[in-house]
Amino acid sequence: MYWKPEQADMPDQKSYGKVHVYTGEGKGKTTAALGLALRAVGHGKRVLIVQFLHGNKQAGEFLAQNRLAPHVEIVQFGTPEGANVLNPSDIDLYIAQQAMEYIRKEMVRRRPDILILDEILPAIHFGLLDVKDVVDFLENKHAQLEVVLTGRYAHPEILNRADLITVMQSVKSYLTAEGFEGRQGIEH
């Protein structure tokens, strides 16, 4: 069980910007966040996507930002090979901290309508970020900012702060088939 309502403080229903969490073991967390971004762009909103733990400049969403500019910007905080979350290097820790500093500054400077923090949940889980810093950010964001946090291993403190929690569950998946490799434009 991810969340128990009796443990959570109910969100202020008057606030405009909500906190979404897309988590779970199934495929589709980042995809759901990107769908929300696309919907927002359709209505002229500004979207900032910050990707933690990886720096894959060939990912489809990263390449698509040029077509969605100036409404969407994607900034990656990670190395091309990705962070070793089980044994993070000093560089991995530094990059994750830089990402948090960046989102704090950009929330004030650019005031995006939607901020997607892709793969931030595993960054918290594996100790690259302190959950208290992330909760503090969520508690002090500007009132209109919609924030989406994605990834496996959602921390209970994040879940308690969320206004919406979606848990992706795999019922059937081709991803585990022997020899399967992710396809360009579908899995990455």
Side-chain angles (χ1 to χ4, degrees):
M1 175 65 111
Y2 279 94
W3 179 70
K4 295 181 181 175
E6 65 273 8
Q7 294 176 342
D9 295 325
M10 294 308 290
D12 176 8
Q13 296 302 314
K14 295 177 187 172
S15 110
Y16 178 77
K18 304 296 185 192
V19 175
H20 305 228
V21 171
Y22 303 156
T23 191
E25 298 297 316
K27 178 182 178 342
K29 298 171 285 291
T30 297
T31 305
L34 294 171
L36 180 68
L38 187 60
R39 178 178 286 160
V41 167
H43 290 283
K45 295 190 180 296
R46 295 175 317 276
V47 180
L48 175 59
I49 302 170
V50 175
Q51 295 184 316
F52 289 78
L53 305 179
H54 55 83
N56 180 2
K57 304 289 189 234
Q58 295 305 308
E61 64 268 20
F62 190 81
L63 296 171
Q65 73 177 316
N66 292 332
R67 297 173 188 228
L68 297 171
H71 298 288
V72 174
E73 181 180 0
I74 300 176
V75 182
Q76 295 179 332
F77 285 87
T79 60
E81 61 276 0
N84 178 354
V85 293
L86 297 176
N87 187 21
S89 69
D90 289 342
I91 292 172
D92 293 330
L93 294 166
Y94 176 77
I95 291 172
Q97 294 303 314
Q98 291 298 106
M100 283 305 298
E101 286 182 32
Y102 178 81
I103 63 174
R104 282 187 182 97
K105 288 178 186 171
E106 294 304 301
M107 179 183 62
V108 173
R109 187 172 79 86
R110 291 191 191 178
R111 290 190 66 88
D113 299 300
I114 301 194
L115 174 63
I116 297 173
L117 304 175
D118 189 38
E119 297 297 337
I120 193 171
L121 300 174
I124 295 166
H125 177 78
F126 290 107
L128 282 85
L129 295 173
D130 186 336
V131 69
K132 291 184 186 343
D133 290 340
V134 178
V135 170
D136 179 68
F137 172 79
L138 296 174
E139 294 294 332
N140 292 294
K141 69 179 186 64
H142 67 75
Q144 292 78 31
L145 180 63
E146 198 86 8
V147 180
V148 179
L149 300 94
T150 75
R152 296 177 183 205
Y153 317 116
H155 193 283
E157 288 186 51
I158 298 294
L159 296 174
N160 283 336
R161 176 54 189 90
D163 299 299
L164 180 140
I165 301 168
T166 300
V167 178
M168 304 296 184
Q169 177 183 355
S170 180
V171 175
K172 182 177 182 179
S173 177
Y174 56 82
L175 297 174
T176 58
E178 186 175 328
F180 177 79
E181 292 185 26
R183 298 164 293 158
Q184 187 176 33
I186 306 295
E187 282 79 40
H188 59 85

